[in-house]
Amino acid sequence: MEPTAPITQDVMTIPRKTDDGGKRNLVGLTRDQLREALISVGTPEKQAKMRTGQVWQWIYQWGVREFEVMTNLAKTYRALLAEHFVIEIPEVVSRLVSEDGTRKYLVRIAGGHEVEVVYIPEEDRGTLCVSSQVGCTLTCSFCHTGTQKLVRNLTAAEIVGQIMMARDDLDEWPEPGAPKDETRLLSNIVLMGMGEPLYNFDNVRDAMKIAMDPEGISLSRRRITLSTSGVVPEIARTAQEIGCLLAISFHATTDDVRDKLVPINKRWNIEELLGALAAYPKASNSERITFEYVMLDGVNDSDEDAHRLIDHIKRHNIPAKINLIPFNEWPGAPYKRSSNNRIRAFANIIYQAGYASPIRKTRGEDIMAACGQLKSATERARKSKRQIEAEAGLGQ
Ligand code: SAH
Ligand code: SF4
């Protein structure tokens, strides 16, 4: 059966959190919005720039959540801020650590929704895989997130809050006044969790701008990679307004097959997508575009596919590397993972053509934290809770 493809964006973003007796959350505000917020409670215009810088630094450089500890602000001013504002990030509901050190967090956001965040430690870096939506409106047929009915955009606070939550867990906030530590446990961000980041553009942009700000979390734009299934009109904006690296969920070399795997292809086909990638202003040999390619047995993994893939990239002269992802199966998935021999043969053709073709190591499989599995874990957790309750009921 052909997957249906609602290529719409009929999802909502809830207003910034106003819990705690209507207090506004300062997390996720851009510098300008933070300045406006401080002025709105009586901060004199003349002091606004300085106060914004101070509060910003406390929140994003030192990771504090209480106004009380902001010792370079007058006591009365701290009290004023505490009266009107909160500094709030999503709440961690569960935390699983894989045999390989991968950590998977389930965090709860306003409305009782849950999203998953994955931390992947490697020798020379630590990558946080961040979610941009609850579920996804797109319905890629190999992706479990795409089968989730419920969808809501995350706010900027909820997106940058995932990074802050992970820094809490890794105990990576420096002591105020301590020298800058260049070795980071959390050194890279990939927007490859749940959701299509380019269908939540403004919030993703604001959150990434905050993560890049040199007076805060201070991650280089080159250490942030946004993965999209191919929302063509937003690709140029990504370069202009975010400036991060780009990964593209390519996954097929003909429109026929891509229409089925990545249904957004019916809206913007392979040629249109390649045109947008060729025009990506940041693309260069040092900032290559990553082509993600999930290896599905007998579907998209032939030698001809490998040759066609190279031909597409060469024809458009796109600085690229090709990341081959062994398919991560989930219960009821309609595909099988290609054999290791097939994946290696495919990689070899790409390599011979002069392109890097790393095969993505599957991480955190034992905790269902691998690419595309980020729905099932939540569902499974729920199911097992129900099961446990049912069993408890039976036992009574
Ligand atoms: N929505 C965005 C980002 C999230 S998905 C996008 O589609 O690009 C991150 C990557 O995991 C994408 O390349 C996606 O196609 C891939 N993926 C999804 N399900 C997968 C699965 N079951 N096995 C392997 N990769 C999968
Ligand atoms: Fe959405 Fe990406 Fe999954 Fe497609 S692969 S359904 S765009 S999360």
Side-chain angles (χ1 to χ4, degrees), residues 136 138 140 142-145 191-197 227-230 247-251 292-294 325-330 360 371-373:
C136 186
L138 299 169
C140 303
F142 55 89
C143 173
H144 209 192
T145 309
L191 283 150
M192 294 187 187
M194 299 164 78
E196 168 49 60
S227 173
T228 178
S229 57
I248 187 86
S249 293
F250 208 69
H251 303 322
E292 297 168 280
Y293 200 94
V294 65
I325 317 175
F327 175 57
N328 293 310
E329 295 181 14
W330 37 272
R360 190 178 289 175
C371 288
Q373 294 186 327

PDB file of all heavy atoms in Angstrom, residues 136 138 140 142-145 191-197 227-230 247-251 292-294 325-330 360 371-373, ligand 1:
ATOM      1  N   CYS A 136       5.858  13.542  13.639  1.00  0.00           N
ATOM      2  CA  CYS A 136       6.253  14.178  12.377  1.00  0.00           C
ATOM      3  C   CYS A 136       5.054  14.130  11.449  1.00  0.00           C
ATOM      4  O   CYS A 136       4.368  13.104  11.387  1.00  0.00           O
ATOM      5  CB  CYS A 136       7.429  13.411  11.760  1.00  0.00           C
ATOM      6  SG  CYS A 136       8.115  14.199  10.288  1.00  0.00           S
ATOM      7  N   LEU A 138       5.214  14.176   8.284  1.00  0.00           N
ATOM      8  CA  LEU A 138       5.578  13.419   7.091  1.00  0.00           C
ATOM      9  C   LEU A 138       5.484  11.933   7.419  1.00  0.00           C
ATOM     10  O   LEU A 138       5.485  11.550   8.582  1.00  0.00           O
ATOM     11  CB  LEU A 138       6.965  13.828   6.628  1.00  0.00           C
ATOM     12  CG  LEU A 138       7.000  15.324   6.274  1.00  0.00           C
ATOM     13  CD1 LEU A 138       8.411  15.806   6.064  1.00  0.00           C
ATOM     14  CD2 LEU A 138       6.165  15.590   5.036  1.00  0.00           C
ATOM     15  N   CYS A 140       7.362   9.083   6.043  1.00  0.00           N
ATOM     16  CA  CYS A 140       8.361   8.238   5.381  1.00  0.00           C
ATOM     17  C   CYS A 140       8.109   6.797   5.809  1.00  0.00           C
ATOM     18  O   CYS A 140       7.960   6.518   7.002  1.00  0.00           O
ATOM     19  CB  CYS A 140       9.772   8.687   5.739  1.00  0.00           C
ATOM     20  SG  CYS A 140      10.039  10.420   5.321  1.00  0.00           S
ATOM     21  N   PHE A 142       9.733   4.093   6.074  1.00  0.00           N
ATOM     22  CA  PHE A 142      10.703   3.278   6.826  1.00  0.00           C
ATOM     23  C   PHE A 142      10.951   3.841   8.215  1.00  0.00           C
ATOM     24  O   PHE A 142      11.764   3.321   8.968  1.00  0.00           O
ATOM     25  CB  PHE A 142      12.043   3.253   6.061  1.00  0.00           C
ATOM     26  CG  PHE A 142      12.551   4.648   5.785  1.00  0.00           C
ATOM     27  CD1 PHE A 142      13.356   5.283   6.707  1.00  0.00           C
ATOM     28  CD2 PHE A 142      12.153   5.329   4.643  1.00  0.00           C
ATOM     29  CE1 PHE A 142      13.777   6.582   6.500  1.00  0.00           C
ATOM     30  CE2 PHE A 142      12.571   6.634   4.422  1.00  0.00           C
ATOM     31  CZ  PHE A 142      13.384   7.253   5.357  1.00  0.00           C
ATOM     32  N   CYS A 143      10.267   4.940   8.565  1.00  0.00           N
ATOM     33  CA  CYS A 143      10.591   5.665   9.794  1.00  0.00           C
ATOM     34  C   CYS A 143       9.468   5.521  10.810  1.00  0.00           C
ATOM     35  O   CYS A 143       8.309   5.806  10.505  1.00  0.00           O
ATOM     36  CB  CYS A 143      10.803   7.142   9.471  1.00  0.00           C
ATOM     37  SG  CYS A 143      10.999   8.170  10.943  1.00  0.00           S
ATOM     38  N   HIS A 144       9.803   5.096  11.990  1.00  0.00           N
ATOM     39  CA  HIS A 144       8.763   4.870  12.980  1.00  0.00           C
ATOM     40  C   HIS A 144       8.156   6.164  13.488  1.00  0.00           C
ATOM     41  O   HIS A 144       6.971   6.227  13.804  1.00  0.00           O
ATOM     42  CB  HIS A 144       9.295   4.024  14.138  1.00  0.00           C
ATOM     43  CG  HIS A 144       8.220   3.197  14.779  1.00  0.00           C
ATOM     44  ND1 HIS A 144       8.384   2.542  15.957  1.00  0.00           N
ATOM     45  CD2 HIS A 144       6.964   2.934  14.379  1.00  0.00           C
ATOM     46  CE1 HIS A 144       7.269   1.908  16.265  1.00  0.00           C
ATOM     47  NE2 HIS A 144       6.391   2.130  15.325  1.00  0.00           N
ATOM     48  N   THR A 145       8.972   7.223  13.554  1.00  0.00           N
ATOM     49  CA  THR A 145       8.427   8.517  14.003  1.00  0.00           C
ATOM     50  C   THR A 145       7.260   8.928  13.096  1.00  0.00           C
ATOM     51  O   THR A 145       6.281   9.507  13.547  1.00  0.00           O
ATOM     52  CB  THR A 145       9.515   9.612  13.983  1.00  0.00           C
ATOM     53  OG1 THR A 145      10.658   9.137  14.688  1.00  0.00           O
ATOM     54  CG2 THR A 145       9.024  10.890  14.625  1.00  0.00           C
ATOM     55  N   LEU A 191      20.270  17.711  14.402  1.00  0.00           N
ATOM     56  CA  LEU A 191      18.804  17.801  14.444  1.00  0.00           C
ATOM     57  C   LEU A 191      18.280  16.595  13.669  1.00  0.00           C
ATOM     58  O   LEU A 191      17.863  16.691  12.516  1.00  0.00           O
ATOM     59  CB  LEU A 191      18.343  19.121  13.846  1.00  0.00           C
ATOM     60  CG  LEU A 191      18.524  20.306  14.803  1.00  0.00           C
ATOM     61  CD1 LEU A 191      18.777  21.593  14.052  1.00  0.00           C
ATOM     62  CD2 LEU A 191      17.329  20.445  15.740  1.00  0.00           C
ATOM     63  N   MET A 192      18.391  15.439  14.323  1.00  0.00           N
ATOM     64  CA  MET A 192      18.017  14.176  13.677  1.00  0.00           C
ATOM     65  C   MET A 192      17.130  13.339  14.582  1.00  0.00           C
ATOM     66  O   MET A 192      16.998  12.137  14.399  1.00  0.00           O
ATOM     67  CB  MET A 192      19.274  13.359  13.333  1.00  0.00           C
ATOM     68  CG  MET A 192      20.145  14.009  12.295  1.00  0.00           C
ATOM     69  SD  MET A 192      21.482  12.919  11.805  1.00  0.00           S
ATOM     70  CE  MET A 192      22.439  14.014  10.755  1.00  0.00           C
ATOM     71  N   GLY A 193      16.540  13.972  15.568  1.00  0.00           N
ATOM     72  CA  GLY A 193      15.629  13.238  16.440  1.00  0.00           C
ATOM     73  C   GLY A 193      14.252  13.180  15.802  1.00  0.00           C
ATOM     74  O   GLY A 193      14.118  13.025  14.592  1.00  0.00           O
ATOM     75  N   MET A 194      13.240  13.349  16.622  1.00  0.00           N
ATOM     76  CA  MET A 194      11.885  13.284  16.093  1.00  0.00           C
ATOM     77  C   MET A 194      11.538  14.590  15.385  1.00  0.00           C
ATOM     78  O   MET A 194      11.847  15.668  15.863  1.00  0.00           O
ATOM     79  CB  MET A 194      10.901  13.049  17.248  1.00  0.00           C
ATOM     80  CG  MET A 194      11.156  11.739  17.978  1.00  0.00           C
ATOM     81  SD  MET A 194      10.347  11.661  19.577  1.00  0.00           S
ATOM     82  CE  MET A 194       8.674  11.293  19.088  1.00  0.00           C
ATOM     83  N   GLY A 195      10.872  14.450  14.244  1.00  0.00           N
ATOM     84  CA  GLY A 195      10.329  15.630  13.579  1.00  0.00           C
ATOM     85  C   GLY A 195      11.123  16.115  12.391  1.00  0.00           C
ATOM     86  O   GLY A 195      12.264  15.728  12.171  1.00  0.00           O
ATOM     87  N   GLU A 196      10.467  16.975  11.603  1.00  0.00           N
ATOM     88  CA  GLU A 196      11.095  17.584  10.430  1.00  0.00           C
ATOM     89  C   GLU A 196      11.451  19.034  10.814  1.00  0.00           C
ATOM     90  O   GLU A 196      10.566  19.900  10.898  1.00  0.00           O
ATOM     91  CB  GLU A 196      10.115  17.546   9.241  1.00  0.00           C
ATOM     92  CG  GLU A 196      10.512  18.395   8.047  1.00  0.00           C
ATOM     93  CD  GLU A 196      11.953  18.192   7.594  1.00  0.00           C
ATOM     94  OE1 GLU A 196      12.327  17.074   7.229  1.00  0.00           O
ATOM     95  OE2 GLU A 196      12.730  19.172   7.627  1.00  0.00           O
ATOM     96  N   PRO A 197      12.739  19.305  11.054  1.00  0.00           N
ATOM     97  CA  PRO A 197      13.117  20.617  11.576  1.00  0.00           C
ATOM     98  C   PRO A 197      12.712  21.788  10.672  1.00  0.00           C
ATOM     99  O   PRO A 197      12.395  22.862  11.167  1.00  0.00           O
ATOM    100  CB  PRO A 197      14.644  20.539  11.723  1.00  0.00           C
ATOM    101  CG  PRO A 197      15.074  19.275  11.084  1.00  0.00           C
ATOM    102  CD  PRO A 197      13.886  18.387  10.965  1.00  0.00           C
ATOM    103  N   SER A 227      19.175  17.946   9.710  1.00  0.00           N
ATOM    104  CA  SER A 227      18.783  16.933   8.725  1.00  0.00           C
ATOM    105  C   SER A 227      17.345  17.183   8.270  1.00  0.00           C
ATOM    106  O   SER A 227      16.443  17.336   9.085  1.00  0.00           O
ATOM    107  CB  SER A 227      18.889  15.540   9.351  1.00  0.00           C
ATOM    108  OG  SER A 227      18.371  14.569   8.463  1.00  0.00           O
ATOM    109  N   THR A 228      17.170  17.239   6.958  1.00  0.00           N
ATOM    110  CA  THR A 228      15.817  17.440   6.432  1.00  0.00           C
ATOM    111  C   THR A 228      15.487  16.380   5.387  1.00  0.00           C
ATOM    112  O   THR A 228      16.367  15.880   4.684  1.00  0.00           O
ATOM    113  CB  THR A 228      15.652  18.839   5.793  1.00  0.00           C
ATOM    114  OG1 THR A 228      14.328  18.944   5.257  1.00  0.00           O
ATOM    115  CG2 THR A 228      16.654  19.085   4.675  1.00  0.00           C
ATOM    116  N   SER A 229      14.187  16.091   5.287  1.00  0.00           N
ATOM    117  CA  SER A 229      13.740  15.142   4.280  1.00  0.00           C
ATOM    118  C   SER A 229      13.618  15.826   2.915  1.00  0.00           C
ATOM    119  O   SER A 229      13.382  15.158   1.919  1.00  0.00           O
ATOM    120  CB  SER A 229      12.390  14.563   4.701  1.00  0.00           C
ATOM    121  OG  SER A 229      11.482  15.619   4.895  1.00  0.00           O
ATOM    122  N   GLY A 230      13.772  17.173   2.904  1.00  0.00           N
ATOM    123  CA  GLY A 230      13.772  17.855   1.612  1.00  0.00           C
ATOM    124  C   GLY A 230      12.708  18.917   1.449  1.00  0.00           C
ATOM    125  O   GLY A 230      12.014  18.962   0.437  1.00  0.00           O
ATOM    126  N   ALA A 247      22.257  18.086   6.311  1.00  0.00           N
ATOM    127  CA  ALA A 247      22.189  16.680   5.905  1.00  0.00           C
ATOM    128  C   ALA A 247      20.843  16.482   5.233  1.00  0.00           C
ATOM    129  O   ALA A 247      19.854  17.106   5.615  1.00  0.00           O
ATOM    130  CB  ALA A 247      22.307  15.759   7.119  1.00  0.00           C
ATOM    131  N   ILE A 248      20.829  15.632   4.233  1.00  0.00           N
ATOM    132  CA  ILE A 248      19.594  15.461   3.489  1.00  0.00           C
ATOM    133  C   ILE A 248      19.231  13.982   3.447  1.00  0.00           C
ATOM    134  O   ILE A 248      20.076  13.137   3.166  1.00  0.00           O
ATOM    135  CB  ILE A 248      19.769  16.070   2.066  1.00  0.00           C
ATOM    136  CG1 ILE A 248      18.469  16.078   1.326  1.00  0.00           C
ATOM    137  CG2 ILE A 248      20.863  15.429   1.270  1.00  0.00           C
ATOM    138  CD1 ILE A 248      17.688  17.306   1.667  1.00  0.00           C
ATOM    139  N   SER A 249      17.987  13.699   3.794  1.00  0.00           N
ATOM    140  CA  SER A 249      17.529  12.300   3.789  1.00  0.00           C
ATOM    141  C   SER A 249      17.201  11.921   2.363  1.00  0.00           C
ATOM    142  O   SER A 249      16.063  12.058   1.922  1.00  0.00           O
ATOM    143  CB  SER A 249      16.297  12.161   4.688  1.00  0.00           C
ATOM    144  OG  SER A 249      16.661  12.380   6.017  1.00  0.00           O
ATOM    145  N   PHE A 250      18.176  11.431   1.644  1.00  0.00           N
ATOM    146  CA  PHE A 250      18.016  11.207   0.203  1.00  0.00           C
ATOM    147  C   PHE A 250      17.323   9.861  -0.064  1.00  0.00           C
ATOM    148  O   PHE A 250      16.256   9.818  -0.635  1.00  0.00           O
ATOM    149  CB  PHE A 250      19.384  11.296  -0.479  1.00  0.00           C
ATOM    150  CG  PHE A 250      19.271  11.742  -1.896  1.00  0.00           C
ATOM    151  CD1 PHE A 250      18.884  13.033  -2.200  1.00  0.00           C
ATOM    152  CD2 PHE A 250      19.532  10.858  -2.939  1.00  0.00           C
ATOM    153  CE1 PHE A 250      18.758  13.454  -3.513  1.00  0.00           C
ATOM    154  CE2 PHE A 250      19.406  11.268  -4.267  1.00  0.00           C
ATOM    155  CZ  PHE A 250      19.025  12.564  -4.551  1.00  0.00           C
ATOM    156  N   HIS A 251      17.980   8.802   0.326  1.00  0.00           N
ATOM    157  CA  HIS A 251      17.378   7.468   0.435  1.00  0.00           C
ATOM    158  C   HIS A 251      16.930   6.764  -0.842  1.00  0.00           C
ATOM    159  O   HIS A 251      16.561   5.589  -0.793  1.00  0.00           O
ATOM    160  CB  HIS A 251      16.184   7.466   1.396  1.00  0.00           C
ATOM    161  CG  HIS A 251      16.494   7.955   2.778  1.00  0.00           C
ATOM    162  ND1 HIS A 251      17.668   7.688   3.425  1.00  0.00           N
ATOM    163  CD2 HIS A 251      15.765   8.718   3.651  1.00  0.00           C
ATOM    164  CE1 HIS A 251      17.649   8.247   4.622  1.00  0.00           C
ATOM    165  NE2 HIS A 251      16.519   8.884   4.777  1.00  0.00           N
ATOM    166  N   GLU A 292      22.172  11.360   3.448  1.00  0.00           N
ATOM    167  CA  GLU A 292      21.864  10.192   4.258  1.00  0.00           C
ATOM    168  C   GLU A 292      21.131   9.189   3.364  1.00  0.00           C
ATOM    169  O   GLU A 292      20.255   9.566   2.579  1.00  0.00           O
ATOM    170  CB  GLU A 292      20.975  10.589   5.438  1.00  0.00           C
ATOM    171  CG  GLU A 292      21.663  11.560   6.387  1.00  0.00           C
ATOM    172  CD  GLU A 292      20.694  12.176   7.370  1.00  0.00           C
ATOM    173  OE1 GLU A 292      19.988  13.137   6.971  1.00  0.00           O
ATOM    174  OE2 GLU A 292      20.618  11.696   8.505  1.00  0.00           O
ATOM    175  N   TYR A 293      21.533   7.938   3.517  1.00  0.00           N
ATOM    176  CA  TYR A 293      20.962   6.919   2.631  1.00  0.00           C
ATOM    177  C   TYR A 293      20.737   5.653   3.435  1.00  0.00           C
ATOM    178  O   TYR A 293      21.676   4.973   3.833  1.00  0.00           O
ATOM    179  CB  TYR A 293      21.924   6.684   1.453  1.00  0.00           C
ATOM    180  CG  TYR A 293      21.280   6.036   0.258  1.00  0.00           C
ATOM    181  CD1 TYR A 293      20.783   6.806  -0.793  1.00  0.00           C
ATOM    182  CD2 TYR A 293      21.163   4.656   0.173  1.00  0.00           C
ATOM    183  CE1 TYR A 293      20.183   6.213  -1.899  1.00  0.00           C
ATOM    184  CE2 TYR A 293      20.563   4.048  -0.921  1.00  0.00           C
ATOM    185  CZ  TYR A 293      20.078   4.836  -1.948  1.00  0.00           C
ATOM    186  OH  TYR A 293      19.480   4.243  -3.047  1.00  0.00           O
ATOM    187  N   VAL A 294      19.475   5.384   3.719  1.00  0.00           N
ATOM    188  CA  VAL A 294      19.142   4.210   4.539  1.00  0.00           C
ATOM    189  C   VAL A 294      19.142   2.970   3.644  1.00  0.00           C
ATOM    190  O   VAL A 294      18.591   2.975   2.541  1.00  0.00           O
ATOM    191  CB  VAL A 294      17.773   4.418   5.248  1.00  0.00           C
ATOM    192  CG1 VAL A 294      16.610   4.518   4.279  1.00  0.00           C
ATOM    193  CG2 VAL A 294      17.509   3.301   6.253  1.00  0.00           C
ATOM    194  N   ILE A 325      23.213   4.425   6.115  1.00  0.00           N
ATOM    195  CA  ILE A 325      22.617   4.044   7.408  1.00  0.00           C
ATOM    196  C   ILE A 325      21.983   2.664   7.280  1.00  0.00           C
ATOM    197  O   ILE A 325      20.992   2.501   6.568  1.00  0.00           O
ATOM    198  CB  ILE A 325      21.505   5.032   7.845  1.00  0.00           C
ATOM    199  CG1 ILE A 325      21.910   6.488   7.616  1.00  0.00           C
ATOM    200  CG2 ILE A 325      21.106   4.791   9.287  1.00  0.00           C
ATOM    201  CD1 ILE A 325      20.796   7.502   7.918  1.00  0.00           C
ATOM    202  N   PRO A 326      22.563   1.651   7.945  1.00  0.00           N
ATOM    203  CA  PRO A 326      21.878   0.353   7.944  1.00  0.00           C
ATOM    204  C   PRO A 326      20.483   0.543   8.556  1.00  0.00           C
ATOM    205  O   PRO A 326      20.353   1.171   9.603  1.00  0.00           O
ATOM    206  CB  PRO A 326      22.761  -0.517   8.857  1.00  0.00           C
ATOM    207  CG  PRO A 326      24.086   0.192   8.917  1.00  0.00           C
ATOM    208  CD  PRO A 326      23.785   1.654   8.761  1.00  0.00           C
ATOM    209  N   PHE A 327      19.475   0.043   7.879  1.00  0.00           N
ATOM    210  CA  PHE A 327      18.105   0.233   8.352  1.00  0.00           C
ATOM    211  C   PHE A 327      17.940  -0.322   9.765  1.00  0.00           C
ATOM    212  O   PHE A 327      18.338  -1.445  10.045  1.00  0.00           O
ATOM    213  CB  PHE A 327      17.138  -0.479   7.397  1.00  0.00           C
ATOM    214  CG  PHE A 327      15.705  -0.458   7.843  1.00  0.00           C
ATOM    215  CD1 PHE A 327      15.064   0.753   8.088  1.00  0.00           C
ATOM    216  CD2 PHE A 327      14.995  -1.646   8.021  1.00  0.00           C
ATOM    217  CE1 PHE A 327      13.730   0.772   8.505  1.00  0.00           C
ATOM    218  CE2 PHE A 327      13.665  -1.624   8.430  1.00  0.00           C
ATOM    219  CZ  PHE A 327      13.033  -0.419   8.667  1.00  0.00           C
ATOM    220  N   ASN A 328      17.378   0.474  10.629  1.00  0.00           N
ATOM    221  CA  ASN A 328      17.072   0.016  11.986  1.00  0.00           C
ATOM    222  C   ASN A 328      15.629  -0.456  12.021  1.00  0.00           C
ATOM    223  O   ASN A 328      14.713   0.332  11.812  1.00  0.00           O
ATOM    224  CB  ASN A 328      17.283   1.155  12.989  1.00  0.00           C
ATOM    225  CG  ASN A 328      18.750   1.526  13.076  1.00  0.00           C
ATOM    226  OD1 ASN A 328      19.614   0.669  13.253  1.00  0.00           O
ATOM    227  ND2 ASN A 328      19.047   2.809  12.909  1.00  0.00           N
ATOM    228  N   GLU A 329      15.481  -1.728  12.252  1.00  0.00           N
ATOM    229  CA  GLU A 329      14.125  -2.284  12.189  1.00  0.00           C
ATOM    230  C   GLU A 329      13.318  -1.920  13.422  1.00  0.00           C
ATOM    231  O   GLU A 329      13.887  -1.661  14.480  1.00  0.00           O
ATOM    232  CB  GLU A 329      14.215  -3.804  12.015  1.00  0.00           C
ATOM    233  CG  GLU A 329      14.840  -4.130  10.665  1.00  0.00           C
ATOM    234  CD  GLU A 329      14.954  -5.615  10.378  1.00  0.00           C
ATOM    235  OE1 GLU A 329      14.320  -6.414  11.085  1.00  0.00           O
ATOM    236  OE2 GLU A 329      15.675  -5.954   9.429  1.00  0.00           O
ATOM    237  N   TRP A 330      12.038  -1.833  13.228  1.00  0.00           N
ATOM    238  CA  TRP A 330      11.117  -1.608  14.350  1.00  0.00           C
ATOM    239  C   TRP A 330       9.945  -2.560  14.168  1.00  0.00           C
ATOM    240  O   TRP A 330       9.711  -3.062  13.073  1.00  0.00           O
ATOM    241  CB  TRP A 330      10.682  -0.143  14.429  1.00  0.00           C
ATOM    242  CG  TRP A 330      10.471   0.564  13.114  1.00  0.00           C
ATOM    243  CD1 TRP A 330      11.433   1.226  12.401  1.00  0.00           C
ATOM    244  CD2 TRP A 330       9.250   0.684  12.357  1.00  0.00           C
ATOM    245  NE1 TRP A 330      10.879   1.754  11.248  1.00  0.00           N
ATOM    246  CE2 TRP A 330       9.543   1.445  11.201  1.00  0.00           C
ATOM    247  CE3 TRP A 330       7.943   0.242  12.553  1.00  0.00           C
ATOM    248  CZ2 TRP A 330       8.581   1.764  10.237  1.00  0.00           C
ATOM    249  CZ3 TRP A 330       6.970   0.560  11.604  1.00  0.00           C
ATOM    250  CH2 TRP A 330       7.303   1.311  10.464  1.00  0.00           C
ATOM    251  N   ARG A 360      27.180   4.278   8.773  1.00  0.00           N
ATOM    252  CA  ARG A 360      26.897   4.754  10.134  1.00  0.00           C
ATOM    253  C   ARG A 360      26.841   3.579  11.094  1.00  0.00           C
ATOM    254  O   ARG A 360      26.138   2.599  10.858  1.00  0.00           O
ATOM    255  CB  ARG A 360      25.581   5.530  10.169  1.00  0.00           C
ATOM    256  CG  ARG A 360      25.376   6.236  11.511  1.00  0.00           C
ATOM    257  CD  ARG A 360      24.105   7.042  11.542  1.00  0.00           C
ATOM    258  NE  ARG A 360      24.168   8.229  10.712  1.00  0.00           N
ATOM    259  CZ  ARG A 360      23.124   9.028  10.517  1.00  0.00           C
ATOM    260  NH1 ARG A 360      21.971   8.764  11.081  1.00  0.00           N
ATOM    261  NH2 ARG A 360      23.235  10.095   9.758  1.00  0.00           N
ATOM    262  N   CYS A 371      18.630   5.616  14.974  1.00  0.00           N
ATOM    263  CA  CYS A 371      17.890   6.432  14.004  1.00  0.00           C
ATOM    264  C   CYS A 371      16.562   5.791  13.635  1.00  0.00           C
ATOM    265  O   CYS A 371      16.530   4.609  13.296  1.00  0.00           O
ATOM    266  CB  CYS A 371      18.633   6.504  12.686  1.00  0.00           C
ATOM    267  SG  CYS A 371      20.072   7.487  12.690  1.00  0.00           S
ATOM    268  N   GLY A 372      15.522   6.581  13.660  1.00  0.00           N
ATOM    269  CA  GLY A 372      14.244   6.092  13.163  1.00  0.00           C
ATOM    270  C   GLY A 372      13.497   5.197  14.132  1.00  0.00           C
ATOM    271  O   GLY A 372      12.414   4.735  13.842  1.00  0.00           O
ATOM    272  N   GLN A 373      14.075   4.972  15.297  1.00  0.00           N
ATOM    273  CA  GLN A 373      13.387   4.115  16.274  1.00  0.00           C
ATOM    274  C   GLN A 373      12.753   4.939  17.375  1.00  0.00           C
ATOM    275  O   GLN A 373      12.250   4.418  18.353  1.00  0.00           O
ATOM    276  CB  GLN A 373      14.394   3.139  16.912  1.00  0.00           C
ATOM    277  CG  GLN A 373      14.963   2.137  15.945  1.00  0.00           C
ATOM    278  CD  GLN A 373      15.822   1.115  16.658  1.00  0.00           C
ATOM    279  OE1 GLN A 373      16.479   1.416  17.639  1.00  0.00           O
ATOM    280  NE2 GLN A 373      15.801  -0.108  16.162  1.00  0.00           N
TER     281      GLN A 373
HETATM  282  N1  SAH B   1      13.020  14.537   9.693  1.00  0.00           N
HETATM  283  C1  SAH B   1      14.385  14.696   9.443  1.00  0.00           C
HETATM  284  C2  SAH B   1      15.288  14.419  10.623  1.00  0.00           C
HETATM  285  C3  SAH B   1      14.991  13.230  11.506  1.00  0.00           C
HETATM  286  S1  SAH B   1      15.313  11.624  10.907  1.00  0.00           S
HETATM  287  C4  SAH B   1      14.809  13.871   8.268  1.00  0.00           C
HETATM  288  O1  SAH B   1      14.052  13.031   7.836  1.00  0.00           O
HETATM  289  O2  SAH B   1      15.891  14.104   7.744  1.00  0.00           O
HETATM  290  C5  SAH B   1      17.063  11.367  10.985  1.00  0.00           C
HETATM  291  C6  SAH B   1      17.546  10.334   9.942  1.00  0.00           C
HETATM  292  O3  SAH B   1      17.193   8.995  10.285  1.00  0.00           O
HETATM  293  C7  SAH B   1      16.942  10.588   8.581  1.00  0.00           C
HETATM  294  O4  SAH B   1      17.904  10.489   7.564  1.00  0.00           O
HETATM  295  C8  SAH B   1      15.949   9.471   8.481  1.00  0.00           C
HETATM  296  O5  SAH B   1      15.608   9.225   7.161  1.00  0.00           O
HETATM  297  C9  SAH B   1      16.681   8.342   9.140  1.00  0.00           C
HETATM  298  N2  SAH B   1      15.822   7.221   9.528  1.00  0.00           N
HETATM  299  C10 SAH B   1      14.510   7.251   9.814  1.00  0.00           C
HETATM  300  N3  SAH B   1      14.070   6.004  10.143  1.00  0.00           N
HETATM  301  C11 SAH B   1      15.129   5.188  10.052  1.00  0.00           C
HETATM  302  C12 SAH B   1      15.313   3.797  10.304  1.00  0.00           C
HETATM  303  N4  SAH B   1      14.315   3.028  10.713  1.00  0.00           N
HETATM  304  N5  SAH B   1      16.549   3.281  10.127  1.00  0.00           N
HETATM  305  C13 SAH B   1      17.575   4.077   9.765  1.00  0.00           C
HETATM  306  N6  SAH B   1      17.461   5.386   9.521  1.00  0.00           N
HETATM  307  C14 SAH B   1      16.252   5.945   9.668  1.00  0.00           C
END
